[in-house]
Amino acid sequence: IGASGLMGHGIARNLLAKGFPLSLTVHRNRDRVADLLAAGAREVASPAALADCDVVMLCVTGSPQVEACLTGPQGLLAAARPGLVVIDTSTSEPESTARLAAICAGRGATLVDAPLARTPVEAELGKLNTMVGAAPEVFARIEPVLKAYCENIFHVGGPGAGHAIKLLNNFIAQAICTAT
């Protein structure tokens, strides 16, 4: 997990607190991960170095950053192994998610879309919401991980459904703000 961002830090902190072993990459701000490293997180140099994990979580800005983490020169898929589950918690574009899911499947990995709702405050408290797009058997496998940092988990359908619901949620929220 990239844990230097506002949401990623809270997710990482809660995963560690619930006993999950944690490896992370540091994007920019090393100060934001000092407490995580002190608590036992392992720092790796690139997303590709996370390929030995069972589950890799991406918590970045959006589709371009997700694509770079997965398919870039030091991307995760350069070293992916069969059975790897990649959880994209970003607010990504459904078309990109579908394309990346196919690339992951070609390498024996599974991409799950599980974008987040709420704020960094709830991330630190382990009370985020997530909308998960995954096959039922994959959802069952990752649900304990999601419970480590989420208060509300909505399995909204198959692969890609999480990002579609998140975008609809954002649209409705903005429409309400505009109407108000």
Side-chain angles (χ1 to χ4, degrees):
I1 185 171
S4 58
L6 296 174
M7 300 295 263
H9 182 274
I11 292 169
R13 194 174 72 69
N14 281 286
L15 288 167
L16 278 170
K18 304 290 188 321
F20 288 94
L22 182 73
S23 298
L24 55 85
T25 61
V26 179
H27 180 58
R28 287 181 296 236
N29 187 348
R30 299 195 55 74
D31 295 339
R32 286 283 292 155
V33 298
D35 64 321
L36 301 173
L37 296 170
R42 172 181 71 121
E43 181 181 351
V44 298
S46 69
L50 294 169
D52 64 338
C53 298
D54 295 325
V55 175
V56 173
M57 300 180 69
L58 302 175
C59 188
V60 294
T61 307
S63 291
Q65 295 77 19
V66 171
E67 291 174 14
C69 287
L70 291 176
T71 64
Q74 292 294 313
L76 178 62
L77 294 180
R81 58 178 175 66
L84 174 67
V85 175
V86 179
I87 303 174
D88 177 12
T89 68
S90 313
T91 301
S92 295
E93 300 166 19
E95 301 82 19
S96 174
T97 300
R99 188 170 21 83
L100 291 173
I103 294 169
C104 286
R107 304 259 167 84
T110 301
L111 180 66
V112 171
D113 49 310
L116 305 169
R118 291 192 154 163
T119 71
V121 171
E122 285 90 10
E124 291 294 333
L125 295 172
K127 294 186 174 198
L128 290 171
N129 293 341
T130 188
M131 297 140 276
V132 184
E137 65 277 6
V138 175
F139 177 75
R141 180 176 165 201
I142 64 168
E143 189 175 20
V145 175
L146 301 173
K147 285 182 177 180
Y149 63 90
C150 290
E151 180 175 41
N152 298 297
I153 302 166
F154 305 98
H155 184 202
V156 295
H163 283 139
I165 295 296
K166 170 67 178 191
L167 292 177
L168 287 169
N169 182 64
N170 287 1
F171 175 78
I172 291 169
Q174 289 303 313
I176 291 169
C177 288
T178 301
T180 301

